Amino acid sequence: MSPSWIARLALLLACLAPLAARADVEDLSTGKHPGSRGTAPAMIVVRAQGGTDYSPFGIAGGALSYYNDFSGLEIEGGLGSGLPGLQFGFTVGRLWGEGNDFLCTSIGVGFNKNAPRGTNPVIPNSGNTVWTNLGVGFEHRSWVSLQVMGGLTFLGFAQSPSGFLQGGLGIGW
């Protein structure tokens, strides 16, 4: 190699060096690393659910969840096995927290036509096919979703509240 080529290569490297330093100062990325899915909570989650008799989505079932990051509002609808029969549920809740881990509170409605809940043993047809839930729990919401919740079930004004537990594992995007 002649000395003129070495001088030209050195001049080119000297001109390009400030560009590499400027790239370190100005980070224009969105905070995502290549191959990662980011740190924002998932907006839509499909979750397999399991719970007790009074859980809104049945003993074994599934739910579709929508989360609005601006308001912190979560809306879920799902169905599952109420043993016997199909059980439908709908919940509206609020997620409290930052990142992907939240304290969640919710109010929900469950319906099972074939298995009335809260029956009085003396009056066999006294159960309700519709009930409401007030719950509190934990939810991790990213591309993998984990939810654990418990609370009280209210069947009507005459009956005393019962308890429910539910949990779920799902995929979010």
Side-chain angles (χ1 to χ4, degrees):
M1 242 182 182
S2 68
S4 66
W5 283 100
I6 294 174
R8 288 181 190 161
L9 184 62
L11 181 63
L12 177 66
L13 291 175
C15 290
L16 293 177
L19 297 176
R22 185 168 176 83
D24 286 341
V25 173
E26 292 183 20
D27 185 12
L28 301 177
S29 69
T30 60
K32 296 181 182 177
H33 299 287
S36 77
R37 298 185 185 234
T39 59
M43 184 176 13
I44 304 289
V45 170
V46 176
R47 188 181 300 124
Q49 295 281 137
T52 60
D53 287 342
Y54 294 105
S55 65
F57 310 122
I59 295 170
L64 178 65
S65 175
Y66 168 75
Y67 173 65
N68 185 321
D69 194 24
F70 179 72
S71 65
L73 186 69
E74 177 184 45
I75 300 170
E76 294 182 330
L79 55 98
S81 171
L83 296 178
L86 191 60
Q87 189 163 309
F88 300 95
F90 180 77
T91 64
V92 175
R94 175 85 163 89
L95 301 183
W96 308 87
E98 294 181 9
N100 295 339
D101 296 324
F102 300 97
L103 170 71
C104 53
T105 57
S106 72
I107 183 167
V109 177
F111 170 77
N112 188 337
K113 181 181 177 186
N114 297 328
R117 308 291 186 205
T119 58
N120 185 344
V122 179
I123 309 168
N125 295 331
S126 65
N128 290 330
T129 57
V130 177
W131 62 92
T132 58
N133 292 336
L134 290 176
V136 64
F138 167 80
E139 183 168 344
H140 175 79
R141 194 175 184 99
S142 65
W143 69 275
V144 172
S145 174
L146 172 69
Q147 181 189 53
V148 177
M149 185 173 281
L152 294 176
T153 299
F154 299 95
L155 298 166
F157 294 108
Q159 287 100 359
S160 61
S162 300
F164 79 94
L165 291 172
Q166 76 176 19
L169 183 64
I171 307 171
W173 58 92

